[in-house]
Amino acid sequence: MNITKENVDALNAIVKVDIVADDYKEKVAKVLNDYRKTANIPGFRKGHVPMGMVRKQYGKAVMIDEVNKLLQESLNKFLVEEKLDILGNPLPKVNESFSWDAEQFSFEFELGLAPEFDVDLKSNKVKSYNIVATEELIEKELENIQTRYGKLITQEEAEEHSNVTGTFVNEEKEINKKSTFLVNDLKGKKNEKKLIGAKVGDVIELETKKLFEEDHKLQNVLGVSKEDAEDLDIKVTFTVEEISITEKAEFDQELFDKLFADGSVKTVTELKDKIKEDAEKQFQQQADQQLLNAVTESLVENTKFDLPKEFLQKWLQTAGEKQLTAEEAVSEYEKSEKGLRYQLIEGKIMKDNDIKIDYAELVDYAKGFIRSQMAQFGNANPEEKELDDIAGRILSNQEEARRLQEQLVSQKLVGFFKENIEFDTKEVSYEEFIKEVYNVDAKK
């Protein structure tokens, strides 16, 4: 057997595999001999079927199977030994004169080669954000805590700060939804006046257009989709069923211990510090994701290299479960090219800077993820063996293991980028961050 490679250009190559009879005859003979021992053919005792008959019946199929096995093994071994960095998979070239009746065969494969390039981190000017918890946000969370741990007191009549429970109905739109909301969540004094003074059993007609201060509230109370809620302009009846007001909880040691069982909070000032710390920890995760997205965009834009475009489009036609037309493959390539470029850039950065992940690191990362999940359900100190067992089960699932590995890689890359890229850092509130990065009003 002989394998040779010919470079077409820097990004494309042809590998030729020549296989002669001596390469496969011995394996074919062994398989046929095993067939002979087990074949059940009328008129012959088991194990005494003439080899000529076995060869005539099975010989060609066995030969084809063994040649294909040998071809695949030898091609894979060649790619590894030659350290060829290929994109996609080798594509067999069609040979119109090929025949399985010959004793020696020649196969050719097209290869798409990964480009060689350098990554200049210094040329990337990227904006990063330091998201701070504002005093307004902290005060709002203090109020939420007091409300959450407060006591509901039943009322005879609704007031501005009352909780009102009732059923919204509109037969034409098939709306029949029981909901609870605050009277002062309503938008405009006109709507508030309709509820203030209302009693249990009262039926009030309301217009849905601009009914609530927050846009998403209408969607929730009526049980309609976001799209329907956006332009909904109908009349609904609201039947009052319950009225109450929340007596806010006092900030005392009993409440602090409910929030932090370890006794770490003893004053409102310490509680505010905890709220700020926890909020900014969550904000940091979003800021890091934005940073990674921004660096990705910048690297793809500023790292120039060519790809074996025609080869990849041809490969995409047969790479998936469903075969694509040439036009579909071109479209798929255009959609995936940016992602492929970043994969190559990411791989180059990790290789050049010895950024690696071993299994022990992945287990520790999985355990940290599990620990934080368990803490949310009140188990702040799980046993190590329990964490090991859960991590083992999660990582035995290939899809979950890949997801966690991607998260860990992203975490390492963010740390690397922070050390090696010069950022234009801007300090913002969470609302400013959401509006600037995603062009969305966080208060809605």
Side-chain angles (χ1 to χ4, degrees):
M1 183 169 54
N2 185 43
I3 304 180
T4 56
K5 177 176 75 76
E6 178 185 349
N7 288 333
V8 177
D9 54 39
L11 298 172
N12 295 273
I14 301 292
V15 169
K16 185 177 181 183
V17 183
D18 293 318
I19 297 177
V20 297
D22 288 343
D23 296 324
Y24 61 84
K25 273 188 174 180
E26 187 176 327
K27 290 183 179 179
V28 171
K30 182 180 183 307
V31 173
L32 291 176
N33 193 47
D34 290 340
Y35 275 17
R36 183 171 179 260
K37 292 175 184 178
T38 58
N40 285 315
I41 296 178
F44 297 94
R45 285 184 298 149
K46 192 173 181 178
H48 290 77
V49 180
M51 179 56 78
M53 183 177 289
V54 173
R55 185 175 290 108
K56 183 177 181 181
Q57 188 166 350
Y58 302 108
K60 188 170 185 178
V62 170
M63 182 268 292
I64 291 172
D65 188 45
E66 291 303 318
V67 169
N68 279 324
K69 286 181 186 176
L70 181 62
L71 177 63
Q72 195 61 53
E73 290 170 3
S74 58
L75 180 60
N76 290 341
K77 185 179 178 183
F78 177 79
L79 295 177
V80 172
E81 289 178 347
E82 294 294 313
K83 298 180 180 178
L84 294 176
D85 191 2
I86 65 171
L87 301 178
N89 293 317
L91 288 177
K93 291 190 70 177
V94 176
N95 181 355
E96 299 293 346
S97 62
F98 180 85
S99 172
W100 284 110
D101 294 326
E103 286 200 345
Q104 60 183 45
F105 310 99
S106 184
F107 302 92
E108 289 186 340
F109 294 87
E110 296 178 61
L111 302 182
L113 305 178
E116 293 186 4
F117 59 91
D118 292 315
V119 179
D120 181 10
L121 295 173
K122 302 301 181 185
S123 67
N124 291 269
K125 299 294 182 184
V126 178
K127 181 180 284 187
S128 69
Y129 293 88
N130 177 30
I131 310 174
V132 296
T134 61
E135 191 65 27
E136 180 186 356
L137 182 146
I138 294 169
E139 289 296 332
K140 189 173 181 179
E141 182 57 24
L142 288 174
E143 187 177 339
N144 288 339
I145 289 171
Q146 286 184 294
T147 301
R148 196 160 63 245
Y149 288 89
K151 183 165 58 176
L152 287 177
I153 299 173
T154 301
Q155 292 181 298
E156 293 291 328
E157 293 185 358
E159 301 173 0
E160 183 182 354
H161 298 287
S162 295
N163 309 296
V164 180
T165 300
T167 301
F168 287 93
V169 174
N170 179 288
E171 292 183 2
E172 184 183 348
K173 293 291 185 179
E174 298 183 345
I175 294 171
N176 192 313
K177 178 75 162 51
K178 184 174 181 177
S179 301
T180 300
F181 59 92
L182 282 168
V183 172
N184 59 359
D185 279 347
L186 294 169
K187 191 171 187 177
K189 293 294 181 184
K190 181 181 177 182
N191 287 322
E192 274 194 22
K193 283 180 180 178
K194 288 184 178 183
L195 265 294
I196 292 174
K199 298 179 180 180
V200 171
D202 286 354
V203 180
I204 299 164
E205 187 175 81
L206 297 167
E207 294 181 4
T208 59
K209 188 176 182 180
K210 297 181 179 179
L211 183 58
F212 289 98
E213 287 288 350
E214 297 179 354
D215 293 343
H216 67 85
K217 192 76 177 178
L218 185 67
Q219 176 189 349
N220 294 336
V221 299
L222 296 185
V224 297
S225 69
K226 182 180 179 181
E227 292 73 21
D228 288 342
E230 283 177 356
D231 300 313
L232 194 63
D233 186 5
I234 59 173
K235 290 181 179 180
V236 292
T237 59
F238 177 72
T239 303
V240 181
E241 297 171 19
E242 297 174 35
I243 305 170
S244 64
I245 194 163
T246 303
E247 185 179 272
K248 293 182 179 179
E250 293 291 329
F251 284 125
D252 53 23
Q253 196 58 48
E254 183 182 354
L255 178 56
F256 297 151
D257 289 343
K258 285 179 182 178
L259 297 170
F260 299 94
D262 60 359
S264 59
V265 172
K266 292 182 171 55
T267 66
V268 174
T269 300
E270 290 177 348
L271 177 58
K272 292 173 74 172
D273 290 342
K274 280 281 191 182
I275 292 171
K276 181 177 175 65
E277 179 186 343
D278 291 345
E280 290 183 352
K281 192 179 293 183
Q282 293 181 34
F283 295 159
Q284 188 60 53
Q285 294 175 3
Q286 295 191 53
D288 284 348
Q289 185 59 55
Q290 179 278 329
L291 181 144
L292 185 60
N293 293 342
V295 171
T296 298
E297 291 286 339
S298 180
L299 286 171
V300 170
E301 182 179 346
N302 293 305
T303 308
K304 305 298 183 184
F305 54 82
D306 292 325
L307 290 168
K309 180 177 176 180
E310 289 77 14
F311 168 85
L312 289 170
Q313 290 174 354
K314 191 188 297 185
W315 171 71
L316 282 170
Q317 287 186 255
T318 57
E321 293 181 6
K322 176 190 171 186
Q323 186 151 333
L324 304 180
T325 65
E327 292 76 16
E328 289 172 334
V330 169
S331 175
E332 187 64 28
Y333 174 80
E334 289 173 351
K335 288 188 286 186
S336 60
E337 181 184 359
K338 192 173 181 180
L340 173 58
R341 286 182 177 277
Y342 182 67
Q343 283 180 11
L344 292 170
I345 294 168
E346 180 185 278
K348 173 77 171 172
I349 290 172
M350 293 183 71
K351 181 180 178 182
D352 289 353
N353 297 280
D354 199 30
I355 301 172
K356 298 176 182 176
I357 291 176
D358 59 35
Y359 187 72
E361 282 182 295
L362 188 57
V363 170
D364 285 343
Y365 181 77
K367 285 163 67 175
F369 174 77
I370 296 162
R371 190 180 285 109
S372 65
Q373 292 291 104
M374 294 176 78
Q376 292 180 22
F377 293 95
N379 187 357
N381 296 295
E383 293 185 5
E384 200 66 23
K385 184 180 184 306
E386 185 180 12
L387 290 173
D388 286 332
D389 291 344
I390 298 173
R393 289 197 298 272
I394 290 175
L395 294 176
S396 66
N397 182 311
Q398 288 188 352
E399 189 174 330
E400 284 296 311
R402 182 172 62 252
R403 183 178 64 84
L404 288 172
Q405 184 171 333
E406 288 172 355
Q407 290 178 3
L408 183 53
V409 167
S410 294
Q411 188 181 91
K412 285 199 167 192
L413 285 171
V414 167
F416 174 78
F417 292 146
K418 284 181 177 180
E419 293 178 1
N420 293 275
I421 293 180
E422 183 180 337
F423 294 103
D424 176 15
T425 303
K426 184 176 181 180
E427 187 172 286
V428 292
S429 68
Y430 180 69
E431 288 77 12
E432 290 169 336
F433 172 79
I434 294 297
K435 189 170 184 179
E436 187 164 328
V437 174
Y438 303 108
N439 197 29
V440 173
D441 189 343
K443 293 183 179 180
K444 287 190 176 181

